[in-house]
Amino acid sequence: MDKLIIHGGKKLSGEIPVSGAKNSALPVLASGLLADGTSRFRNIPDLADIRSMMGLLSELGANVKMGPDGTVEMKVVDESNSYASYDRVRKMRASICVLAPLLAKRRYARVSMPGGCAIGTRPVDLHLQGLEALGARISLDNGDIVVKANRLKGNKIFMGGPFGSTVLGTITVICAASLAEGMTLIESAACEPEVVDLANCINSMGGHVAGAGTPRITVEGVESLSTCEHTVIPDRIETGTFVVAGALAGDRLKICGCRPEHLIALLDKLDRAGVNIRTGEETIEISSKKHPAAVDVTTQPYPGFPTDLQAQLMVFLAVAAGNSTVTEKIFPDRFMHVPELNRMGAKIRKEGQTSIITGVKRLVGAPVMASDLRASAALVLAGIVAEGITEVLRVYHIDRGYERIAEKLNAVGAEIERAVE
Ligand code: EPU
């Protein structure tokens, strides 16, 4: 296992590029199972989770290969295996993305039921309710979800759950409905940019998805979907992570190839904290501010403040002037980073789904343990701004979702080494 050793206190300046969005690329690749012809997906980041999805797709009968420029070509050549095993799903929850494409195209799928993970229990009941409403027969066998159907039939589906809309649940229903007979109306759909990206991808295969990006999506089913050319959007969470890095340690750090409009909630919070931010069409330039003001944050579905940036913003608030609160409304238990940040001198107290943060003058380096992808990114940010040396252990979490993060940050002035744990 590798660890990252971070020499803190360095300023970040210059240009840092953003990769394609992991959380778009995963369902987009899975949607290639719906197409009859060859799909060409561009701007796919080279990440452990993407390799894992490509491995799964190849087990499911696709010829799938990644070129050096982030282009993935995919063509299904054998539809005989429709099983995503526990071994696949436990390594990557997003394996659930193949369920709907397999069902819609092959009329049968067997996908191991995802369990909980470090950020919470994470049920898939809304995915299954959506598929059932389209006519799927669903059973649970030996820990596997088994779904069968004749051709699916369009329906009206309400996707709201106890924590709001569901991103991958909405994507599941769009994929299934795209090959169903007739019209599907999804109410309370997730509005995340990744849903819009997936809808655009299906439309480029010849599908008819309208309204993506709003809570009401319609899908007019078609008989078949054909070849596809699609470029994945820039990763808004990687962008946001670099924005927070800039707010902590930036000296005109310029984030390039991003979509500032996808980060309104984060930019608004940092603006209120007094940080200096300049946005261009595809760039965000940011410099740190001494003693920024504390701000309160609540995570919400898009366009609210993203849960995937909660841990990173907490590092910023840990060294802001005054008290702040962070309330987690999407994954109420997603606070595994709190004790690790406290090991570095932060003053954070958790009460239920809220963390109360008393800003301190400085963080100090320490060995810390990554618990999940975004918590790991937060610990890297903490290491950059801390005095002394921070070691982030279990760095495989970060490799799942950040492409070459150490190289990218080192190129703008950070000092991060990779070593064997
Ligand atoms: N939920 C249900 N039932 C369901 C599905 C979800 O109750 O059937 C609940 C969840 O437990 C949660 C809320 O609904 O409380 C929202 O979860 P959602 O379904 O939107 O999450 P997801 O689609 O499984 C994606 C991202 C996550 C990100 C969330 C929220 C991917 C591969 N994952 O998960 O990303 O946190 O949306 O924005 O797209 C990450 O990248 O680190 C990550 C965890």
Side-chain angles (χ1 to χ4, degrees), residues 22-24 26-27 49 92-97 117 119-129 159-171 190 192 194 235-237 300-302 306-309 328-332 334 372-375 400-402:
K22 167 185 83 89
N23 288 349
S24 259
L26 290 168
D49 273 12
M92 187 187 58
R93 292 183 54 85
S95 305
I96 192 77
C97 292
C117 70
I119 66 174
T121 48
R122 306 192 69 183
V124 291
D125 54 321
L126 298 168
H127 300 234
L128 301 184
Q129 275 173 35
M159 291 299 293
F163 299 96
S165 51
T166 156
V167 179
L168 291 181
T170 302
I171 285 173
E192 272 70 2
E194 293 76 17
D235 196 308
R236 67 192 167 100
I237 306 301
Q300 285 170 330
Y302 189 83
T307 173
D308 288 346
L309 286 173
E328 179 53 71
K329 289 269 175 96
I330 309 291
F331 296 115
R334 194 178 201 176
D372 74 87
L373 170 57
R374 307 305 172 185
R400 291 188 33 226
Y402 288 88

Side-chain angles (χ1 to χ4, degrees), residues 236-237 239-244 262-272 277 284 286 303-306 309 312-313 316:
R236 67 192 167 100
I237 306 301
T239 306
T241 303
F242 294 154
V243 167
V244 178
H262 289 167
L263 285 149
I264 298 288
L266 171 68
L267 297 178
D268 175 70
K269 285 295 169 197
L270 292 175
D271 182 49
R272 284 170 198 277
I277 306 166
I284 302 173
I286 185 156
F305 191 92
L309 286 173
Q312 298 90 315
L313 190 76
F316 172 80

